[in-house]
Amino acid sequence: MIKPYVLPDLKQAQRRQKGETPIERTLFDIPEVLRTAGKGKTYFIRTYGCQANERDSETLRGILEAMAFTSIESMEDADVILLNTCAIRENAENKVFGEIGQIKRLKQTNPDLLFMVGGCMTQEEHVVNRILAKHPQVDVIFGTHNLHRIPQLMLQAYYSKERVVEVFSKEGEVYENLPVSRNSLSKAWVNIMYGCDKFCTYCIVPYTRGKERSRLPEDILCEVRELAYQGYQEVTLLGQNVNAYGKDLDLKVDFADLLAQVAQCGIPRVRFMTSHPWDFTDKMIEVMATQPTIMPFLHLPLQSGNDAVLKIMGRRYTADAYLDLVNRLRTRMPHLALSTDIIVGFPNETEEQFEDTLRILEKVRYDNVYSFIYSARESTPAAKMEDNVPQDVKEARLKRLNAVIGAHALEKAKAMVGQTVSVLVDGPSKKNPAIYSGYTDTNKLVNFVPTTAQTGQIVHVLIESARTWTLQGKQVAN
Ligand code: 5AD
Ligand code: SF4
C-alpha cells in the first residue's frame, strides 16, 4: 500500500505546547530487512547551513552506517544521496534547488540511485510543493523532526518505488537513542537543546526546528565524558539560544550551571553557540571567566545597532544594553574575542539606522562578523512588512559594512603578530601538505610550519604575520 504524504504546515509549527518534552530512549529501530541493506553500497551527504545541521548530518551518517552503507567522497558514484538543507535565507534555498536540478542527471544514468532531501527547507510548505511539482528525481522528502524515521522511509521508497514524503510540523520527543558517526576525531558538536521560542520577526528557525527542548544535564554530561574518554580535545555545545537552556525543564538548572559542569569533564576546549544578548546572565560571565577550559571566544549576534530596528526585529534589547553586556564581558575577560551576526536592509531600514549599526561596530571592534542582507521568509511577521529599501541600496550597505568588518578583523589579527598561541591542529592544509592549520583558543585560523604537530593535538605556534582572516606562523616547543 502506498502511504499518503505527510506535509508540513507552518501555522501548526508556530504553536507552542506547554510542558516538558518526553525523552525517547528505547533501542533504535532498524527494520530487519534493512540491517544489511547498505552492504557494498555507498552514501553521500551534503550539508547546508548551521552547526545544528552539521550535527544532524552526523546522526544521518550514523543511521546509514547502522544499515551498512559506507561513506563516499564523490556524489557521482553514490548509491544514496542526501541533501540536508538550510532555510535561513533565499540564496541558501536557491543553491539547494540548483543542486536538486543537477542530481536529475545522475538519476538518469543510475535509476537505482536513492535521492533524499531533508532539513529546514523541507519544513516549509512552498518548498515541498515545488519539489513535488517540478522535481520527480527526489525519492524521499523528510524534515528536521523525523531523522529517526529514515530507515522506515528508505524501506518504503525501495519497496514501493513511489516517492515518500513525511514532514512533521510539530517536534516529537527528545531523541537520546540515535546513532552518530562524527566527522572529526578531535572536535565534537554536542546538542544541549533543540528549537527556538524567540520568534525574532525575520527568522524561520522557530518554525522549522520547533519549540525549545532541553536535553537532561546527565545525558549531556554523559556524552561529554564519553568524548573526553575517546580523546576529543574540543566540544561545542549547540543550541539556537543556549541561554534558554533548562527553562523548559523542572530542574532549576540553567546554562551557567551546565557550562560549569561541562567545563570539568576533562575536555581541554569547551565552546558554545549561540547566545542571545537578551538573556545572557552575569552568572554565565562568571563561569566563562573562572573556568580555564571555556575558550575566550563568544558569538553574540547583534543584528542591528538601531533601537527602533531591534524593536521591530523582536530582539528585546537596546544597543546600549548590548554595549553594556560587551563591557561587562570585557571587564571580566580582557582577552575575549567576539564575533557577531548583522542583518542589513531590514524592511524600511534608513541610512541613519544603518549608520547606527556601523557606529556599534566601531565601538565593539569585532574579531569576526557574519553579515547578511535581509531575506524575507514566508510566514514570518517581517515578510508581511512593506519594504521601501531598494535591493541595490541594501547591496551597497553590505559592501560598506564588509569594509569595516575587514578593517577590524585585520587590526585584531595584526595585534597577534609576535604572540605565541595555542592551536588545536586540524591537519595538513589541502593545498600544501607541508603547512598545517588549526584554530587558536580565540577561534582564529592559523596556518603554520609544523615540527612535531599531529592532527588533534594542541600545540604552540609563534605568529609571524597576519592577513584579515588567517594568521601565519611556526610551531614552537610547548
Ligand atoms: N534574512 C537575513 N539573515 C537572517 N538571519 C536569520 N534570518 C535571516 C533572514 N531572514 C541571520 C541572523 C542570524 C543568522 C544565523 O542568520 O543574523 O543570527
Ligand atoms: Fe532565529 Fe532569533 Fe531564534 Fe536566533 S534567537 S534562531 S535569530 S528566532
Side-chain angles (χ1 to χ4, degrees):
M1 189 190 72
I2 301 165
K3 297 255 175 66
Y5 295 162
V6 180
L7 298 166
D9 175 346
L10 287 170
K11 280 229 160 58
Q12 213 192 323
Q14 187 178 5
R15 294 193 200 117
R16 290 295 182 260
Q17 266 149 358
K18 286 234 163 354
E20 278 194 35
T21 309
I23 302 171
E24 182 60 69
R25 296 184 189 280
T26 55
L27 200 63
F28 179 59
D29 172 38
I30 297 181
E32 184 75 44
V33 285
L34 277 184
R35 290 199 188 136
T36 52
K39 257 215 164 112
K41 290 189 174 170
T42 55
Y43 74 87
F44 175 92
I45 299 182
R46 175 151 292 152
T47 311
Y48 298 83
C50 68
Q51 291 77 12
N53 256 20
E54 292 287 347
R55 179 60 187 78
D56 278 355
S57 285
E58 292 182 336
T59 297
L60 292 166
R61 284 161 48 92
I63 294 173
L64 288 168
E65 286 169 19
M67 292 189 281
F69 287 93
T70 46
S71 160
I72 193 168
E73 296 277 315
S74 81
M75 181 191 267
E76 279 71 21
D77 300 319
D79 298 300
V80 175
I81 297 177
L82 207 153
L83 303 185
N84 191 8
T85 65
C86 168
I88 201 94
R89 281 170 292 274
E90 197 183 346
N91 55 8
E93 297 204 347
N94 290 343
K95 264 193 228 153
V96 170
F97 274 112
E99 188 86 275
I100 291 176
Q102 294 285 320
I103 291 168
K104 189 170 191 175
R105 183 180 46 87
L106 297 179
K107 190 84 185 176
Q108 280 157 355
T109 51
N110 175 11
D112 290 334
L113 169 68
L114 189 73
F115 179 23
M116 313 206 276
V117 180
C120 280
M121 262 173 84
T122 48
Q123 291 293 136
E124 299 178 290
E125 294 145 26
H126 72 95
V127 169
V128 173
N129 289 338
R130 182 165 157 191
I131 296 176
L132 288 177
K134 298 208 178 125
H135 300 286
Q137 68 273 31
V138 178
D139 299 301
V140 178
I141 302 177
F142 64 100
T144 57
H145 301 311
N146 60 347
L147 306 190
H148 62 289
R149 293 265 308 152
I150 289 292
Q152 284 78 7
L153 301 181
M154 287 175 77
L155 186 65
Q156 237 173 286
Y158 276 132
Y159 278 88
S160 71
K161 290 279 168 203
E162 292 288 331
R163 53 162 74 194
V164 176
V165 182
E166 184 182 275
V167 182
F168 302 147
S169 301
K170 295 225 77 68
E171 61 287 327
E173 285 84 3
V174 166
Y175 289 92
E176 291 296 346
N177 61 345
L178 300 182
V180 55
S181 169
R182 296 188 191 269
N183 272 329
S184 160
L185 293 171
S186 51
K187 302 200 274 197
W189 311 111
V190 174
N191 287 318
I192 63 165
M193 59 188 300
Y194 306 95
C196 181
D197 289 346
K198 283 280 185 287
F199 287 101
C200 301
T201 55
Y202 50 81
C203 188
I204 192 75
V205 170
Y207 305 78
T208 60
R209 293 222 161 239
K211 78 163 184 171
E212 285 171 357
R213 292 149 281 152
S214 300
R215 292 178 69 200
L216 292 182
E218 63 250 38
D219 288 326
I220 297 164
L221 292 169
C222 189
E223 183 175 344
V224 175
R225 285 190 197 112
E226 174 68 26
L227 290 165
Y229 178 74
Q230 291 171 5
Y232 276 81
Q233 300 294 302
E234 180 174 298
V235 295
T236 303
L237 308 181
L238 293 181
Q240 300 301 333
N241 170 26
V242 292
N243 309 8
Y245 176 77
K247 289 184 184 174
D248 59 318
L249 300 175
D250 258 346
L251 286 176
K252 294 199 168 53
V253 52
D254 62 16
F255 181 59
D257 300 326
L258 179 75
L259 194 55
Q261 291 188 62
V262 170
Q264 303 284 331
C265 285
I267 300 268
R269 290 181 161 203
V270 176
R271 303 183 186 278
F272 57 90
M273 69 187 318
T274 297
S275 274
H276 192 298
W278 174 69
D279 45 5
F280 203 108
T281 62
D282 283 336
K283 189 172 160 193
M284 279 162 59
I285 299 181
E286 218 32 52
V287 173
M288 283 182 78
T290 50
Q291 298 286 344
T293 56
I294 301 176
M295 294 295 96
F297 169 79
L298 181 65
H299 184 64
L300 194 66
L302 169 67
Q303 313 299 1
S304 165
N306 176 268
D307 289 348
V309 174
L310 285 170
K311 191 152 197 217
I312 313 172
M313 285 178 162
R315 292 292 290 177
R316 313 180 203 196
Y317 53 83
T318 60
D320 277 348
Y322 184 98
L323 285 176
D324 180 59
L325 173 59
V326 169
N327 257 334
R328 279 182 282 138
L329 284 159
R330 284 192 168 150
T331 305
R332 203 65 188 79
M333 292 169 278
H335 301 297
L336 183 73
L338 278 174
S339 70
T340 199
D341 292 338
I342 302 284
I343 298 176
V344 298
F346 190 72
N348 310 312
E349 180 192 57
T350 64
E351 172 63 22
E352 290 72 33
Q353 289 174 331
F354 169 66
E355 284 172 11
D356 280 346
T357 301
L358 294 182
R359 264 191 284 281
I360 301 270
L361 256 62
E362 290 298 343
K363 283 189 183 150
V364 177
R365 309 187 93 77
Y366 292 98
D367 294 75
N368 194 3
V369 180
Y370 300 88
S371 55
F372 314 104
I373 293 182
Y374 166 74
S375 166
R377 310 316 296 134
E378 204 172 293
S379 297
T380 60
K384 295 179 193 81
M385 296 173 195
E386 273 188 40
D387 186 4
N388 62 15
V389 191
Q391 192 62 21
D392 59 335
V393 172
K394 296 186 187 211
E395 278 162 22
R397 282 183 193 159
L398 184 69
K399 227 172 156 187
R400 281 161 69 197
L401 180 75
N402 286 345
V404 175
I405 293 168
H408 291 169
L410 183 60
E411 169 189 300
K412 296 274 169 175
K414 279 192 169 154
M416 296 190 66
V417 175
Q419 289 183 29
T420 298
V421 293
S422 75
V423 172
L424 172 53
V425 183
D426 279 338
S429 103
K430 281 209 176 90
K431 279 189 226 144
N432 178 359
I435 300 292
Y436 276 42
S437 66
Y439 283 84
T440 65
D441 54 356
T442 53
N443 215 25
K444 290 195 189 309
L445 178 60
V446 181
N447 294 320
F448 65 96
V449 180
T451 51
T452 59
Q454 307 272 336
T455 303
Q457 282 181 341
I458 296 173
V459 300
H460 284 175
V461 172
L462 172 67
I463 303 301
E464 296 173 310
S465 64
R467 295 203 202 111
T468 307
W469 304 117
T470 52
L471 302 168
Q472 291 77 41
K474 62 175 183 211
Q475 187 184 353
V476 292
N478 268 16

